[in-house]
Amino acid sequence: MRTPIIAGNWKLNKTIDEALAFAQDLKPALSKAANVEIILAPPFTALSVLAEALNNSSVLLAGQNCYPAQGAFTGEISPRLLRDAGCVAVIVGHSERRQLFGETGEFINRKVKAVLEEGLRVILCIGETLQERKDNQTFKILEEQLRKGLAGIDGTSMARLVVAYEPVWAIGTGQTASSGQAQEAHRFIRDFLATHFEQAVADSTRIIYGGSVTPENIDGLMAQPDIDGALVGGASLQSASFIQIARFGRV
Ligand code: PEP
């Protein structure tokens, strides 16, 4: 009922030529990753050429970030311009944005609203730090980030929102959450959505996991009932490993 999503977040990596070479590898491999939504979030500079290169494929493009306005905001990028460059979605609230660029829950909520208003989809990232997990604060932090991120969003708009559970301690560290730890957090998020909206919203919202996902651990994660896909950083930079992840469950 919930189509799985495998999304690659390239962060601040790949020139235009490197992005195009990746697209050439990915396109022929796609028929073997049926019934999976594949999303790539390249750097902004590669968006429009990738949109053209992937034109007749099922790969979708996402922005890695946005600013929730248009106009005199030097150096920023708006949902409107991302849509113009070929994006169907935007990643919002990535922990690197929260931690390195001081983004608050309120600011992230403005971005969520701006992306939805532009008719795009949101991938809303939430997750606890290692210290918060050690202090048994995981669920409290997840609930706080969800409450702030989703403030003022109605149940209908949730059809265009994906939650990405990304424990900060697992991002780029090689230390994946165990399938059990991830499932527990995803279950908590789904229960929150049921209470905050209604059961139908909770049942239909995709909740994807991010944090050191690899071809080796994807199957165990995807076997969990509340894990609907993955947001992949490091392992999305090589086409071979990204394709293997997109073909999860197959040998
Ligand atoms: C990410 O940055 O969203 C991420 C999950 O990175 P990695 O897969 O490298 O941990």
Side-chain angles (χ1 to χ4, degrees), residues 128-142 181 184 188:
E128 82 286 1
T129 62
L130 185 57
Q131 194 56 50
E132 288 161 348
R133 177 162 279 265
K134 282 184 179 161
D135 294 343
N136 287 322
Q137 299 291 298
T138 299
F139 294 153
K140 179 175 164 275
I141 295 295
L142 295 182
Q181 283 172 320
E184 184 187 40
F188 175 83

Side-chain angles (χ1 to χ4, degrees), residues 9 11 94 96 166 170-173 210-213 231-235:
N9 173 15
K11 312 189 185 190
H94 191 281
E96 285 152 17
E166 297 209 299
I171 295 180
T173 59
S212 297
V213 171
L231 181 52
V232 188

Side-chain angles (χ1 to χ4, degrees), residues 28-76:
L30 280 179
S31 56
K32 295 178 185 139
N35 299 323
V36 182
E37 249 177 52
I38 310 284
I39 302 179
L40 284 180
F44 300 136
T45 45
L47 276 172
S48 51
V49 285
L50 270 185
E52 205 178 314
L54 294 168
N55 189 19
N56 285 319
S57 79
S58 54
V59 182
L60 304 173
L61 292 177
Q64 295 177 15
N65 179 36
C66 69
Y67 190 77
Q70 281 280 124
F73 301 99
T74 303
E76 295 293 337

Side-chain angles (χ1 to χ4, degrees), residues 146-161:
L146 284 167
R147 272 195 197 289
K148 288 188 175 161
L150 298 175
I153 305 301
D154 59 29
T156 315
S157 303
M158 286 299 289
R160 283 188 288 120
L161 191 139

